[in-house]
Amino acid sequence: RCPLVTSRANVLRNMGQIWSEQAKEFFEQGKQNEAIQAIQKAQKYLKTAAELFEKLGRRHGEGAAKRLLGDLYYWAITNRMQGLTLHDALECFRSARAIFALEKTWTPQNIKLRIKTCLSLVDILCSSTASDNYQEATELLEEAEGLCRDHLDPDDRTDFERLLQEKRQR
């Protein structure tokens, strides 16, 4: 039963990702209503996938689904889509970050996902003017820099160091 449910959760996460991409395509084509419907479908799939992964104790799958949801929310907000707030995106990324921090496996893929999650949070925090955001953004950059320095091989490190430098200048 567990492999079947895990497979279903993966399918749901993939469907959410597909609908997220579809929403972006609709938006680029000027089809606002279709984009909103695609966002709603993606949101449903990703939330359900995260819940299933959580029930299964598959923390990485849960975190990945929440990160995809955060990406979708942030994209929707930056493109002035109605019904979502920066708070929604922040909560998804903060939740994903907390989940990834519990990871016991330190694969390059997991480290990259953690770094990208920190950087996404920095982007969101820097887009708001709240004064306490600066401190959190600084701490996230330090966390990402530490992960990059301590856990990535030199080739991967170079790409992320450039990104980190850009974020630091903001």
Side-chain angles (χ1 to χ4, degrees):
R1 180 185 126 104
C2 222
L4 189 61
V5 178
T6 301
S7 177
R8 180 167 183 249
N10 281 320
V11 168
L12 289 168
R13 183 183 59 212
N14 292 342
M15 290 297 292
Q17 197 167 8
I18 289 167
W19 278 108
S20 291
E21 293 305 316
Q22 190 66 56
K24 293 171 186 174
E25 286 179 30
F26 283 143
F27 182 80
E28 288 171 8
Q29 296 167 1
K31 299 177 180 177
Q32 186 86 5
N33 290 337
E34 288 91 339
I36 291 169
Q37 290 172 347
I39 288 170
Q40 291 167 343
K41 287 179 183 179
Q43 184 177 2
K44 185 180 86 174
Y45 281 120
L46 291 170
K47 283 183 174 183
T48 305
E51 289 167 8
L52 269 179
F53 280 123
E54 181 183 22
K55 287 176 186 171
L56 290 166
R58 304 291 295 269
R59 304 294 290 175
H60 186 77
E62 178 189 0
K66 288 186 177 180
R67 184 183 151 55
L68 286 170
L69 192 57
D71 281 339
L72 174 65
Y73 286 172
Y74 189 54
W75 171 83
I77 293 160
T78 55
N79 286 287
R80 310 261 190 272
M81 303 293 265
Q82 298 300 311
L84 296 168
T85 66
L86 277 179
H87 179 76
D88 295 323
L90 270 176
E91 287 309 302
C92 289
F93 283 116
R94 284 178 174 147
S95 179
R97 178 175 167 245
I99 290 165
F100 293 145
L102 300 173
E103 282 280 324
K104 299 292 186 254
T105 50
W106 290 78
T107 65
Q109 181 183 358
N110 291 355
I111 298 302
K112 290 175 191 174
L113 202 52
R114 286 181 68 182
I115 293 169
K116 288 176 184 176
T117 302
C118 287
L119 296 179
S120 294
L121 271 165
V122 168
D123 285 340
I124 294 170
L125 291 166
C126 290
S127 69
S128 171
T129 56
S131 59
D132 57 333
N133 287 356
Y134 177 79
Q135 179 63 36
E136 186 178 355
T138 302
E139 290 168 8
L140 287 161
L141 280 173
E142 289 168 0
E143 178 181 333
E145 287 167 347
L147 288 166
C148 184
R149 179 185 59 246
D150 299 341
H151 299 287
L152 292 181
D153 64 47
D155 292 339
D156 290 332
R157 193 177 308 133
T158 304
D159 295 337
F160 280 106
E161 284 173 343
R162 183 183 44 75
L163 270 175
L164 287 163
Q165 191 61 38
E166 290 171 13
K167 303 292 181 200
R168 187 63 84 179
Q169 290 171 354
R170 282 183 76 194

